[in-house]
Amino acid sequence: MRTITIKPAAITHNLAQVKKLAPKSKVLAMVKANAYGHGVAAVLPALQQAEPQADGIGVATLIEALEARQLGWDKTIGLIEGAFTKDEWQLAIEHDISCVIHHEPQLTWALENTPSTNSATRVVWLKYNTGMNRLGFNDQTLIPAAKRLHEAGYQLILTTHFANADDRTHPLNTIQIQRFNDMLHILKETVSSDVQGSLCNSAGIVNFPKYHHDWVRPGIMLYGSTPVIDKSACDLDLQPAMEFSAQIIALQTVNAGDGIGYGSRWTAMQNTKTALVSIGYGDGYPRVVSDNTYVSVIDAINHHSYPCAVVGRVAMDMIVIDVSAVPESVALNSQVILWGDAPHVDEVAAHADTISYELLCRLSARPTRTIA
């Protein structure tokens, strides 16, 4: 059985760590991409039941925003890429969704169709391109846009996005911080003293505590993965919010000199006891993991965990692991942890030459989902 178990208590704990790091800032918790693969329906209650709660959530698409409203989220929703069409802007108004405005068409829709005074859509996240070079107004266009929005009655939150915040020493960080702070100062002086700021994503929250401003926008750290290159999730006291597991479906001994799996990439140096596990890239486990990757096999009798190496290539539906060093009590149907407490998803991602974000987001619909 393939199982994804979500741990809301871990999300609540991780949100508390964000609040400790940024005690003076409001928190826009990122739940885009189905809450980084964890499931919005499972994550929203954890954010609501936390003490203190998240102040709002961030999503990438209007569909995600509407789903959150349908699930009962009645606080701030930030649409971080903004409306894609004029009709979407109107829907955002109807459902009290606050939008990023990052280019001229969105500005036009906002000015042509202004929401009522008490609408949440009156709060606009004005995107400033400080060096990421994806979305946002530049130095010449942002100030006029801000003035027009303010004159139309909008409350402004200046926002931008780091390109290299995971690496605290990257020189672009200093440039982006300076540009953002300078622009925020200009807007406060020339547009309105009520203009707020939102600079930091997860990595920025950890690496740049002096620049949290009014809103922080945690994403991956809410789910228990590290957002920075020089500290582990354990270092940051973050708890994994997902356990991905499967079962041993067969045991066999591979003779010395025999290969395993497609391409016979791994060859047994001696007679080796192996187990087949019911998981593969069809479930979202990465095909390209290296030979150093391990899983944890759980002994059903004493509940001890045994690290076992993945051997051979990952297939669509199965992997093979080396169980030579585990006791005989580890048998058919024993539970195998692909990621969770150990191995951590960050470790698996490193062995697949990718990041935890990708592994979490690309899980397929085949595994059974449960909530701890």
Side-chain angles (χ1 to χ4, degrees), residues 248-320:
I248 292 175
I249 60 172
L251 294 158
Q252 64 180 357
T253 297
V254 176
N255 295 326
D258 286 351
I260 289 179
Y262 291 116
S264 302
R265 188 181 74 177
W266 187 89
T267 301
M269 303 303 293
Q270 58 191 10
N271 291 353
T272 304
K273 184 180 178 182
T274 63
L276 274 73
V277 183
S278 59
I279 206 74
Y281 60 78
D283 306 286
Y285 190 77
R287 179 180 179 272
V288 294
V289 291
S290 69
D291 289 334
N292 297 318
T293 310
Y294 76 96
V295 299
S296 290
V297 176
I298 309 301
D299 189 327
I301 295 177
N302 61 26
H303 304 291
H304 188 76
S305 173
Y306 297 92
C308 296
V310 177
V311 293
R313 219 167 249 167
V314 174
M316 184 182 292
D317 313 301
M318 289 178 288
I319 62 172
V320 181

Side-chain angles (χ1 to χ4, degrees), residues 337-369:
I337 308 300
L338 290 312
W339 62 66
D341 290 327
H344 195 283
V345 67
D346 290 338
E347 296 178 79
V348 181
H351 288 305
D353 194 26
T354 187
I355 54 177
S356 59
Y357 307 67
E358 181 182 7
L359 298 190
L360 296 171
C361 289
R362 75 180 189 186
L363 291 166
S364 78
R366 183 160 64 174
T368 300
R369 286 180 171 263

